Amino acid sequence: MSREVRAILDMFEIVFLGTGGSIPTEGRNHPAIAIRFQGVVLLFDAGEDVQRQYMRAGLGLNRPMAIFVSHIHADHVIGLPGLLLRMSLLGRQRPLEIFGPKELIEYVRMTRDSIGLGTTFETTVYAVDEGRLWGHNGLSVRAFPVKHRGLALGFEVTYQRPRGKFHPERAEALGVPRGPLWHNLAMGKAVEIDGRRIEPHEVSDPPPSPLKIVYTGDTRPCESLLEAATGAEVLISEAMYASDKVDLAQERGHMTAREAAELAAEADVKLLVLTHYSPRYDLERGATILNEARELFSNTILAHDLMRIEVTWQGARVVASRQYS
Ligand SMILES: [Zn+2]
Ligand SMILES: [Zn+2]
C-alpha cells in the first residue's frame, strides 16, 4: 500500500454540523459534530435540525455509525428524534448504537412510536458515564466525566495504527527479496528466508502514538478534561463566553474562550477549535472570543457550521469553511 493511500485511509474528517451555544442563530445550528474515519461516522451531540445539516454535509444515512450524547440538555439532544425519523423514513438498514447519560434511554423510548423506530433498523441505547464505549479496527471512543450541570460527558476519539512504518532498505539489508515477503513483513507477519526467521519489528518502526481528537461537551475546565486532552491533535472545546462573562460561565457550568485556551496550552494540543459560543458573539463573527483565546494559544480557530477539518499524523487543516452571514 502506498504512503499516500495509507494517509488517506488514516485520515479523520471533522464536520461541524452545528456550532451554536444554547440558542441557534440564523447562521449556526445547535451543537452537533460528525467525525468520519474510514467510512464510519461518529456523531457527537444532536441539536436541533441536525438531520438537515447531516444531509447538507453529505454524510450518508446508511453508514456504519454511532451516536454519542454529551448530556441531556435540550440543545444537545433535541435533534435526535428528527435524525432517527429521517433514517427510518429513508430505510436505513444498518443497526445503530447510541451512547449517553441514562435519561437518554427514556428520551428515545418516548419518541420511538412516533418515529417508527425499529421498522427498518435496530437501535440500541446505552446508559454510560465513563470509560471506553465503542471500538472498531483501532478506532475507539472513550467518555470521561466533565463539570457541567448534572451528568455531562466529554469524549476522546483515538485511532491506533496497528503497525509502524515499513523500511524496505532494512528488509533488503537482511536479504529479503522485494515482493510478497516484503508485503508480509509490512503487514506485521514474520517471514523465513534461507531458514532464518525475520520478525516485523526488525524492518518496521514501532506503531506511532495514537491520533487523538477530544470534544469537551459543555463544561467548566476540569482535571479529567485536561488529562484527556493532553497530547491531542485537536481539542474541540466549548467557549460559551468571553472573559468578561466569567461569572456567568461559572454559574452555568461553561468555559470562557480564555479558559479553553489556557487548558489547550497546558494540555499541549496541536489545534484548538472553539465551538458552542453564545449568539451574542455573532454580531462581530466571534472575533472577541477568538482574539481572546489566541492571546494565550495562537493555534486556535473558530468553528462555523459545515466547517470541515482533516486530521492526520501530519497535522490538522481546515479544508472547507463557510463564514456565516
Ligand atoms: Zn449546550
Ligand atoms: Zn448544557
Side-chain angles (χ1 to χ4, degrees), residues 260-295:
E262 270 169 2
L263 196 136
E266 198 177 344
D268 199 21
V269 307
K270 303 269 178 41
L271 175 69
L272 170 65
V273 188
L274 302 177
T275 188
H276 193 290
Y277 47 100
S278 162
R280 59 167 60 81
Y281 304 110
D282 274 20
L283 280 178
E284 29 86 4
R285 300 182 177 222
T288 304
I289 59 168
L290 182 60
N291 293 341
E292 173 179 307
R294 279 185 174 166
E295 277 174 23

PDB file of all heavy atoms in Angstrom, residues 260-295:
ATOM      1  N   ALA A 260     -10.561  28.051  27.828  1.00  0.00           N
ATOM      2  CA  ALA A 260     -10.326  26.975  26.847  1.00  0.00           C
ATOM      3  C   ALA A 260      -8.890  27.047  26.327  1.00  0.00           C
ATOM      4  O   ALA A 260      -8.219  26.018  26.168  1.00  0.00           O
ATOM      5  CB  ALA A 260     -11.325  27.098  25.691  1.00  0.00           C
ATOM      6  N   ALA A 261      -8.410  28.264  26.084  1.00  0.00           N
ATOM      7  CA  ALA A 261      -7.046  28.437  25.564  1.00  0.00           C
ATOM      8  C   ALA A 261      -6.002  28.038  26.604  1.00  0.00           C
ATOM      9  O   ALA A 261      -4.985  27.419  26.279  1.00  0.00           O
ATOM     10  CB  ALA A 261      -6.838  29.882  25.129  1.00  0.00           C
ATOM     11  N   GLU A 262      -6.271  28.393  27.866  1.00  0.00           N
ATOM     12  CA  GLU A 262      -5.349  28.005  28.948  1.00  0.00           C
ATOM     13  C   GLU A 262      -5.229  26.486  29.012  1.00  0.00           C
ATOM     14  O   GLU A 262      -4.141  25.934  29.120  1.00  0.00           O
ATOM     15  CB  GLU A 262      -5.883  28.506  30.304  1.00  0.00           C
ATOM     16  CG  GLU A 262      -5.386  29.885  30.662  1.00  0.00           C
ATOM     17  CD  GLU A 262      -6.133  30.481  31.860  1.00  0.00           C
ATOM     18  OE1 GLU A 262      -7.010  29.803  32.446  1.00  0.00           O
ATOM     19  OE2 GLU A 262      -5.854  31.638  32.167  1.00  0.00           O
ATOM     20  N   LEU A 263      -6.384  25.832  28.923  1.00  0.00           N
ATOM     21  CA  LEU A 263      -6.392  24.373  29.001  1.00  0.00           C
ATOM     22  C   LEU A 263      -5.670  23.758  27.797  1.00  0.00           C
ATOM     23  O   LEU A 263      -4.891  22.821  27.937  1.00  0.00           O
ATOM     24  CB  LEU A 263      -7.847  23.893  29.075  1.00  0.00           C
ATOM     25  CG  LEU A 263      -7.997  22.462  29.548  1.00  0.00           C
ATOM     26  CD1 LEU A 263      -9.132  22.351  30.562  1.00  0.00           C
ATOM     27  CD2 LEU A 263      -8.247  21.492  28.414  1.00  0.00           C
ATOM     28  N   ALA A 264      -5.914  24.336  26.619  1.00  0.00           N
ATOM     29  CA  ALA A 264      -5.262  23.815  25.404  1.00  0.00           C
ATOM     30  C   ALA A 264      -3.743  23.933  25.512  1.00  0.00           C
ATOM     31  O   ALA A 264      -3.007  23.028  25.111  1.00  0.00           O
ATOM     32  CB  ALA A 264      -5.764  24.583  24.185  1.00  0.00           C
ATOM     33  N   ALA A 265      -3.286  25.059  26.077  1.00  0.00           N
ATOM     34  CA  ALA A 265      -1.841  25.266  26.213  1.00  0.00           C
ATOM     35  C   ALA A 265      -1.261  24.263  27.202  1.00  0.00           C
ATOM     36  O   ALA A 265      -0.229  23.643  26.951  1.00  0.00           O
ATOM     37  CB  ALA A 265      -1.566  26.695  26.676  1.00  0.00           C
ATOM     38  N   GLU A 266      -1.952  24.086  28.321  1.00  0.00           N
ATOM     39  CA  GLU A 266      -1.450  23.162  29.342  1.00  0.00           C
ATOM     40  C   GLU A 266      -1.450  21.719  28.838  1.00  0.00           C
ATOM     41  O   GLU A 266      -0.553  20.938  29.153  1.00  0.00           O
ATOM     42  CB  GLU A 266      -2.300  23.291  30.609  1.00  0.00           C
ATOM     43  CG  GLU A 266      -1.601  22.707  31.815  1.00  0.00           C
ATOM     44  CD  GLU A 266      -2.404  22.886  33.104  1.00  0.00           C
ATOM     45  OE1 GLU A 266      -3.336  23.712  33.140  1.00  0.00           O
ATOM     46  OE2 GLU A 266      -2.083  22.156  34.066  1.00  0.00           O
ATOM     47  N   ALA A 267      -2.459  21.384  28.040  1.00  0.00           N
ATOM     48  CA  ALA A 267      -2.578  20.014  27.515  1.00  0.00           C
ATOM     49  C   ALA A 267      -1.674  19.797  26.309  1.00  0.00           C
ATOM     50  O   ALA A 267      -1.577  18.684  25.798  1.00  0.00           O
ATOM     51  CB  ALA A 267      -4.029  19.717  27.142  1.00  0.00           C
ATOM     52  N   ASP A 268      -1.061  20.875  25.824  1.00  0.00           N
ATOM     53  CA  ASP A 268      -0.152  20.795  24.689  1.00  0.00           C
ATOM     54  C   ASP A 268      -0.828  20.175  23.455  1.00  0.00           C
ATOM     55  O   ASP A 268      -0.278  19.301  22.793  1.00  0.00           O
ATOM     56  CB  ASP A 268       1.093  19.978  25.077  1.00  0.00           C
ATOM     57  CG  ASP A 268       2.256  20.241  24.130  1.00  0.00           C
ATOM     58  OD1 ASP A 268       2.251  21.295  23.470  1.00  0.00           O
ATOM     59  OD2 ASP A 268       3.140  19.379  24.026  1.00  0.00           O
ATOM     60  N   VAL A 269      -2.047  20.634  23.169  1.00  0.00           N
ATOM     61  CA  VAL A 269      -2.737  20.149  21.961  1.00  0.00           C
ATOM     62  C   VAL A 269      -2.145  20.868  20.755  1.00  0.00           C
ATOM     63  O   VAL A 269      -1.497  21.905  20.885  1.00  0.00           O
ATOM     64  CB  VAL A 269      -4.276  20.371  22.038  1.00  0.00           C
ATOM     65  CG1 VAL A 269      -4.838  19.780  23.312  1.00  0.00           C
ATOM     66  CG2 VAL A 269      -4.643  21.836  21.922  1.00  0.00           C
ATOM     67  N   LYS A 270      -2.391  20.316  19.554  1.00  0.00           N
ATOM     68  CA  LYS A 270      -1.832  20.964  18.359  1.00  0.00           C
ATOM     69  C   LYS A 270      -2.771  22.073  17.873  1.00  0.00           C
ATOM     70  O   LYS A 270      -2.320  23.118  17.415  1.00  0.00           O
ATOM     71  CB  LYS A 270      -1.640  19.933  17.247  1.00  0.00           C
ATOM     72  CG  LYS A 270      -0.763  18.761  17.643  1.00  0.00           C
ATOM     73  CD  LYS A 270       0.686  19.040  17.295  1.00  0.00           C
ATOM     74  CE  LYS A 270       1.610  17.915  17.721  1.00  0.00           C
ATOM     75  NZ  LYS A 270       1.149  16.565  17.524  1.00  0.00           N
ATOM     76  N   LEU A 271      -4.082  21.799  17.927  1.00  0.00           N
ATOM     77  CA  LEU A 271      -5.048  22.770  17.408  1.00  0.00           C
ATOM     78  C   LEU A 271      -6.235  22.862  18.362  1.00  0.00           C
ATOM     79  O   LEU A 271      -6.769  21.839  18.797  1.00  0.00           O
ATOM     80  CB  LEU A 271      -5.539  22.329  16.014  1.00  0.00           C
ATOM     81  CG  LEU A 271      -6.646  23.174  15.379  1.00  0.00           C
ATOM     82  CD1 LEU A 271      -6.131  24.562  14.998  1.00  0.00           C
ATOM     83  CD2 LEU A 271      -7.219  22.477  14.135  1.00  0.00           C
ATOM     84  N   LEU A 272      -6.648  24.084  18.643  1.00  0.00           N
ATOM     85  CA  LEU A 272      -7.845  24.311  19.459  1.00  0.00           C
ATOM     86  C   LEU A 272      -8.950  24.853  18.555  1.00  0.00           C
ATOM     87  O   LEU A 272      -8.740  25.830  17.836  1.00  0.00           O
ATOM     88  CB  LEU A 272      -7.532  25.319  20.571  1.00  0.00           C
ATOM     89  CG  LEU A 272      -8.725  25.851  21.374  1.00  0.00           C
ATOM     90  CD1 LEU A 272      -9.398  24.730  22.179  1.00  0.00           C
ATOM     91  CD2 LEU A 272      -8.278  26.975  22.326  1.00  0.00           C
ATOM     92  N   VAL A 273     -10.107  24.209  18.586  1.00  0.00           N
ATOM     93  CA  VAL A 273     -11.249  24.682  17.799  1.00  0.00           C
ATOM     94  C   VAL A 273     -12.349  25.074  18.779  1.00  0.00           C
ATOM     95  O   VAL A 273     -12.820  24.239  19.562  1.00  0.00           O
ATOM     96  CB  VAL A 273     -11.780  23.599  16.837  1.00  0.00           C
ATOM     97  CG1 VAL A 273     -12.829  24.202  15.910  1.00  0.00           C
ATOM     98  CG2 VAL A 273     -10.657  22.978  16.025  1.00  0.00           C
ATOM     99  N   LEU A 274     -12.742  26.337  18.725  1.00  0.00           N
ATOM    100  CA  LEU A 274     -13.784  26.815  19.642  1.00  0.00           C
ATOM    101  C   LEU A 274     -15.149  26.641  19.002  1.00  0.00           C
ATOM    102  O   LEU A 274     -15.356  26.975  17.834  1.00  0.00           O
ATOM    103  CB  LEU A 274     -13.556  28.299  19.959  1.00  0.00           C
ATOM    104  CG  LEU A 274     -12.206  28.653  20.578  1.00  0.00           C
ATOM    105  CD1 LEU A 274     -12.099  30.166  20.778  1.00  0.00           C
ATOM    106  CD2 LEU A 274     -11.997  27.922  21.901  1.00  0.00           C
ATOM    107  N   THR A 275     -16.087  26.125  19.794  1.00  0.00           N
ATOM    108  CA  THR A 275     -17.453  25.957  19.286  1.00  0.00           C
ATOM    109  C   THR A 275     -18.427  26.237  20.424  1.00  0.00           C
ATOM    110  O   THR A 275     -18.016  26.661  21.499  1.00  0.00           O
ATOM    111  CB  THR A 275     -17.629  24.534  18.693  1.00  0.00           C
ATOM    112  OG1 THR A 275     -18.896  24.454  18.046  1.00  0.00           O
ATOM    113  CG2 THR A 275     -17.545  23.453  19.769  1.00  0.00           C
ATOM    114  N   HIS A 276     -19.739  26.050  20.180  1.00  0.00           N
ATOM    115  CA  HIS A 276     -20.754  26.248  21.213  1.00  0.00           C
ATOM    116  C   HIS A 276     -20.580  27.623  21.847  1.00  0.00           C
ATOM    117  O   HIS A 276     -20.462  27.755  23.065  1.00  0.00           O
ATOM    118  CB  HIS A 276     -20.627  25.117  22.254  1.00  0.00           C
ATOM    119  CG  HIS A 276     -21.790  25.001  23.202  1.00  0.00           C
ATOM    120  ND1 HIS A 276     -22.056  25.934  24.172  1.00  0.00           N
ATOM    121  CD2 HIS A 276     -22.748  24.058  23.349  1.00  0.00           C
ATOM    122  CE1 HIS A 276     -23.116  25.566  24.875  1.00  0.00           C
ATOM    123  NE2 HIS A 276     -23.565  24.427  24.381  1.00  0.00           N
ATOM    124  N   TYR A 277     -20.491  28.666  21.017  1.00  0.00           N
ATOM    125  CA  TYR A 277     -20.344  30.008  21.571  1.00  0.00           C
ATOM    126  C   TYR A 277     -21.663  30.763  21.458  1.00  0.00           C
ATOM    127  O   TYR A 277     -22.468  30.526  20.575  1.00  0.00           O
ATOM    128  CB  TYR A 277     -19.174  30.776  20.948  1.00  0.00           C
ATOM    129  CG  TYR A 277     -19.066  30.733  19.446  1.00  0.00           C
ATOM    130  CD1 TYR A 277     -19.524  31.799  18.670  1.00  0.00           C
ATOM    131  CD2 TYR A 277     -18.479  29.645  18.804  1.00  0.00           C
ATOM    132  CE1 TYR A 277     -19.410  31.769  17.289  1.00  0.00           C
ATOM    133  CE2 TYR A 277     -18.368  29.611  17.425  1.00  0.00           C
ATOM    134  CZ  TYR A 277     -18.835  30.670  16.673  1.00  0.00           C
ATOM    135  OH  TYR A 277     -18.724  30.629  15.308  1.00  0.00           O
ATOM    136  N   SER A 278     -21.822  31.658  22.387  1.00  0.00           N
ATOM    137  CA  SER A 278     -23.101  32.350  22.574  1.00  0.00           C
ATOM    138  C   SER A 278     -23.487  33.181  21.340  1.00  0.00           C
ATOM    139  O   SER A 278     -22.627  33.762  20.678  1.00  0.00           O
ATOM    140  CB  SER A 278     -22.967  33.255  23.800  1.00  0.00           C
ATOM    141  OG  SER A 278     -23.956  34.227  23.805  1.00  0.00           O
ATOM    142  N   PRO A 279     -24.796  33.286  21.073  1.00  0.00           N
ATOM    143  CA  PRO A 279     -25.264  34.101  19.930  1.00  0.00           C
ATOM    144  C   PRO A 279     -24.810  35.557  20.031  1.00  0.00           C
ATOM    145  O   PRO A 279     -24.724  36.255  19.022  1.00  0.00           O
ATOM    146  CB  PRO A 279     -26.794  34.028  20.043  1.00  0.00           C
ATOM    147  CG  PRO A 279     -27.093  32.877  20.924  1.00  0.00           C
ATOM    148  CD  PRO A 279     -25.901  32.637  21.784  1.00  0.00           C
ATOM    149  N   ARG A 280     -24.488  36.009  21.256  1.00  0.00           N
ATOM    150  CA  ARG A 280     -24.092  37.423  21.420  1.00  0.00           C
ATOM    151  C   ARG A 280     -22.813  37.739  20.629  1.00  0.00           C
ATOM    152  O   ARG A 280     -22.542  38.891  20.354  1.00  0.00           O
ATOM    153  CB  ARG A 280     -23.918  37.782  22.894  1.00  0.00           C
ATOM    154  CG  ARG A 280     -22.903  36.958  23.618  1.00  0.00           C
ATOM    155  CD  ARG A 280     -22.535  37.565  24.991  1.00  0.00           C
ATOM    156  NE  ARG A 280     -23.648  37.704  25.913  1.00  0.00           N
ATOM    157  CZ  ARG A 280     -24.150  36.737  26.679  1.00  0.00           C
ATOM    158  NH1 ARG A 280     -23.652  35.528  26.602  1.00  0.00           N
ATOM    159  NH2 ARG A 280     -25.132  36.965  27.517  1.00  0.00           N
ATOM    160  N   TYR A 281     -22.036  36.721  20.247  1.00  0.00           N
ATOM    161  CA  TYR A 281     -20.784  36.976  19.504  1.00  0.00           C
ATOM    162  C   TYR A 281     -20.958  36.908  17.989  1.00  0.00           C
ATOM    163  O   TYR A 281     -20.009  37.106  17.246  1.00  0.00           O
ATOM    164  CB  TYR A 281     -19.679  36.010  19.967  1.00  0.00           C
ATOM    165  CG  TYR A 281     -19.448  36.095  21.451  1.00  0.00           C
ATOM    166  CD1 TYR A 281     -19.819  35.060  22.300  1.00  0.00           C
ATOM    167  CD2 TYR A 281     -18.918  37.259  22.031  1.00  0.00           C
ATOM    168  CE1 TYR A 281     -19.660  35.156  23.668  1.00  0.00           C
ATOM    169  CE2 TYR A 281     -18.761  37.365  23.397  1.00  0.00           C
ATOM    170  CZ  TYR A 281     -19.142  36.310  24.215  1.00  0.00           C
ATOM    171  OH  TYR A 281     -18.994  36.426  25.576  1.00  0.00           O
ATOM    172  N   ASP A 282     -22.208  36.644  17.551  1.00  0.00           N
ATOM    173  CA  ASP A 282     -22.440  36.553  16.106  1.00  0.00           C
ATOM    174  C   ASP A 282     -22.270  37.902  15.413  1.00  0.00           C
ATOM    175  O   ASP A 282     -21.826  37.971  14.273  1.00  0.00           O
ATOM    176  CB  ASP A 282     -23.850  36.019  15.817  1.00  0.00           C
ATOM    177  CG  ASP A 282     -23.859  34.494  15.827  1.00  0.00           C
ATOM    178  OD1 ASP A 282     -22.923  33.916  16.400  1.00  0.00           O
ATOM    179  OD2 ASP A 282     -24.776  33.898  15.253  1.00  0.00           O
ATOM    180  N   LEU A 283     -22.622  38.956  16.138  1.00  0.00           N
ATOM    181  CA  LEU A 283     -22.584  40.283  15.516  1.00  0.00           C
ATOM    182  C   LEU A 283     -21.187  40.628  15.010  1.00  0.00           C
ATOM    183  O   LEU A 283     -21.026  41.228  13.956  1.00  0.00           O
ATOM    184  CB  LEU A 283     -23.036  41.351  16.521  1.00  0.00           C
ATOM    185  CG  LEU A 283     -24.547  41.475  16.689  1.00  0.00           C
ATOM    186  CD1 LEU A 283     -24.863  42.528  17.744  1.00  0.00           C
ATOM    187  CD2 LEU A 283     -25.227  41.841  15.348  1.00  0.00           C
ATOM    188  N   GLU A 284     -20.170  40.220  15.765  1.00  0.00           N
ATOM    189  CA  GLU A 284     -18.799  40.506  15.316  1.00  0.00           C
ATOM    190  C   GLU A 284     -18.081  39.219  14.923  1.00  0.00           C
ATOM    191  O   GLU A 284     -16.874  39.095  15.035  1.00  0.00           O
ATOM    192  CB  GLU A 284     -18.041  41.321  16.358  1.00  0.00           C
ATOM    193  CG  GLU A 284     -18.464  41.122  17.798  1.00  0.00           C
ATOM    194  CD  GLU A 284     -17.776  39.938  18.481  1.00  0.00           C
ATOM    195  OE1 GLU A 284     -16.920  39.323  17.846  1.00  0.00           O
ATOM    196  OE2 GLU A 284     -18.117  39.648  19.628  1.00  0.00           O
ATOM    197  N   ARG A 285     -18.882  38.243  14.474  1.00  0.00           N
ATOM    198  CA  ARG A 285     -18.367  36.975  13.944  1.00  0.00           C
ATOM    199  C   ARG A 285     -17.383  36.279  14.879  1.00  0.00           C
ATOM    200  O   ARG A 285     -16.371  35.720  14.450  1.00  0.00           O
ATOM    201  CB  ARG A 285     -17.731  37.184  12.568  1.00  0.00           C
ATOM    202  CG  ARG A 285     -18.731  37.716  11.586  1.00  0.00           C
ATOM    203  CD  ARG A 285     -18.140  37.878  10.212  1.00  0.00           C
ATOM    204  NE  ARG A 285     -19.193  38.330   9.307  1.00  0.00           N
ATOM    205  CZ  ARG A 285     -19.358  37.880   8.094  1.00  0.00           C
ATOM    206  NH1 ARG A 285     -18.552  36.978   7.600  1.00  0.00           N
ATOM    207  NH2 ARG A 285     -20.323  38.337   7.338  1.00  0.00           N
ATOM    208  N   GLY A 286     -17.678  36.382  16.129  1.00  0.00           N
ATOM    209  CA  GLY A 286     -16.876  35.640  17.107  1.00  0.00           C
ATOM    210  C   GLY A 286     -15.501  36.226  17.366  1.00  0.00           C
ATOM    211  O   GLY A 286     -14.677  35.589  18.035  1.00  0.00           O
ATOM    212  N   ALA A 287     -15.228  37.434  16.830  1.00  0.00           N
ATOM    213  CA  ALA A 287     -13.871  37.996  16.945  1.00  0.00           C
ATOM    214  C   ALA A 287     -13.425  38.115  18.397  1.00  0.00           C
ATOM    215  O   ALA A 287     -12.258  37.832  18.715  1.00  0.00           O
ATOM    216  CB  ALA A 287     -13.816  39.356  16.268  1.00  0.00           C
ATOM    217  N   THR A 288     -14.339  38.491  19.284  1.00  0.00           N
ATOM    218  CA  THR A 288     -13.951  38.695  20.691  1.00  0.00           C
ATOM    219  C   THR A 288     -13.391  37.411  21.292  1.00  0.00           C
ATOM    220  O   THR A 288     -12.304  37.403  21.873  1.00  0.00           O
ATOM    221  CB  THR A 288     -15.180  39.140  21.528  1.00  0.00           C
ATOM    222  OG1 THR A 288     -15.719  40.300  20.927  1.00  0.00           O
ATOM    223  CG2 THR A 288     -14.792  39.431  22.956  1.00  0.00           C
ATOM    224  N   ILE A 289     -14.144  36.326  21.138  1.00  0.00           N
ATOM    225  CA  ILE A 289     -13.666  35.099  21.789  1.00  0.00           C
ATOM    226  C   ILE A 289     -12.437  34.526  21.080  1.00  0.00           C
ATOM    227  O   ILE A 289     -11.538  34.000  21.705  1.00  0.00           O
ATOM    228  CB  ILE A 289     -14.785  34.038  21.945  1.00  0.00           C
ATOM    229  CG1 ILE A 289     -15.384  33.642  20.618  1.00  0.00           C
ATOM    230  CG2 ILE A 289     -15.855  34.476  22.905  1.00  0.00           C
ATOM    231  CD1 ILE A 289     -16.255  32.413  20.739  1.00  0.00           C
ATOM    232  N   LEU A 290     -12.394  34.666  19.764  1.00  0.00           N
ATOM    233  CA  LEU A 290     -11.238  34.135  19.029  1.00  0.00           C
ATOM    234  C   LEU A 290      -9.960  34.887  19.417  1.00  0.00           C
ATOM    235  O   LEU A 290      -8.931  34.277  19.722  1.00  0.00           O
ATOM    236  CB  LEU A 290     -11.484  34.228  17.514  1.00  0.00           C
ATOM    237  CG  LEU A 290     -10.376  33.673  16.642  1.00  0.00           C
ATOM    238  CD1 LEU A 290     -10.126  32.192  16.911  1.00  0.00           C
ATOM    239  CD2 LEU A 290     -10.711  33.855  15.155  1.00  0.00           C
ATOM    240  N   ASN A 291     -10.037  36.214  19.422  1.00  0.00           N
ATOM    241  CA  ASN A 291      -8.849  37.005  19.756  1.00  0.00           C
ATOM    242  C   ASN A 291      -8.384  36.742  21.184  1.00  0.00           C
ATOM    243  O   ASN A 291      -7.190  36.636  21.454  1.00  0.00           O
ATOM    244  CB  ASN A 291      -9.133  38.500  19.560  1.00  0.00           C
ATOM    245  CG  ASN A 291      -9.341  38.824  18.091  1.00  0.00           C
ATOM    246  OD1 ASN A 291      -8.938  38.047  17.218  1.00  0.00           O
ATOM    247  ND2 ASN A 291      -9.982  39.945  17.800  1.00  0.00           N
ATOM    248  N   GLU A 292      -9.350  36.630  22.064  1.00  0.00           N
ATOM    249  CA  GLU A 292      -9.012  36.380  23.464  1.00  0.00           C
ATOM    250  C   GLU A 292      -8.269  35.042  23.622  1.00  0.00           C
ATOM    251  O   GLU A 292      -7.269  34.957  24.329  1.00  0.00           O
ATOM    252  CB  GLU A 292     -10.315  36.359  24.256  1.00  0.00           C
ATOM    253  CG  GLU A 292     -10.175  35.965  25.677  1.00  0.00           C
ATOM    254  CD  GLU A 292     -11.514  36.004  26.406  1.00  0.00           C
ATOM    255  OE1 GLU A 292     -12.198  37.040  26.358  1.00  0.00           O
ATOM    256  OE2 GLU A 292     -11.876  34.989  27.009  1.00  0.00           O
ATOM    257  N   ALA A 293      -8.761  34.024  22.914  1.00  0.00           N
ATOM    258  CA  ALA A 293      -8.109  32.716  23.008  1.00  0.00           C
ATOM    259  C   ALA A 293      -6.727  32.752  22.371  1.00  0.00           C
ATOM    260  O   ALA A 293      -5.760  32.190  22.892  1.00  0.00           O
ATOM    261  CB  ALA A 293      -8.975  31.654  22.335  1.00  0.00           C
ATOM    262  N   ARG A 294      -6.607  33.444  21.244  1.00  0.00           N
ATOM    263  CA  ARG A 294      -5.323  33.457  20.522  1.00  0.00           C
ATOM    264  C   ARG A 294      -4.213  34.159  21.294  1.00  0.00           C
ATOM    265  O   ARG A 294      -3.036  33.917  21.052  1.00  0.00           O
ATOM    266  CB  ARG A 294      -5.510  34.116  19.150  1.00  0.00           C
ATOM    267  CG  ARG A 294      -6.090  33.136  18.151  1.00  0.00           C
ATOM    268  CD  ARG A 294      -6.178  33.724  16.776  1.00  0.00           C
ATOM    269  NE  ARG A 294      -6.603  32.716  15.813  1.00  0.00           N
ATOM    270  CZ  ARG A 294      -7.012  32.994  14.592  1.00  0.00           C
ATOM    271  NH1 ARG A 294      -7.061  34.259  14.173  1.00  0.00           N
ATOM    272  NH2 ARG A 294      -7.365  32.029  13.768  1.00  0.00           N
ATOM    273  N   GLU A 295      -4.590  35.060  22.193  1.00  0.00           N
ATOM    274  CA  GLU A 295      -3.558  35.712  23.019  1.00  0.00           C
ATOM    275  C   GLU A 295      -2.807  34.680  23.859  1.00  0.00           C
ATOM    276  O   GLU A 295      -1.632  34.844  24.162  1.00  0.00           O
ATOM    277  CB  GLU A 295      -4.211  36.735  23.962  1.00  0.00           C
ATOM    278  CG  GLU A 295      -4.469  38.064  23.291  1.00  0.00           C
ATOM    279  CD  GLU A 295      -5.243  38.996  24.198  1.00  0.00           C
ATOM    280  OE1 GLU A 295      -5.213  38.818  25.425  1.00  0.00           O
ATOM    281  OE2 GLU A 295      -5.912  39.899  23.653  1.00  0.00           O
TER     282      GLU A 295
END
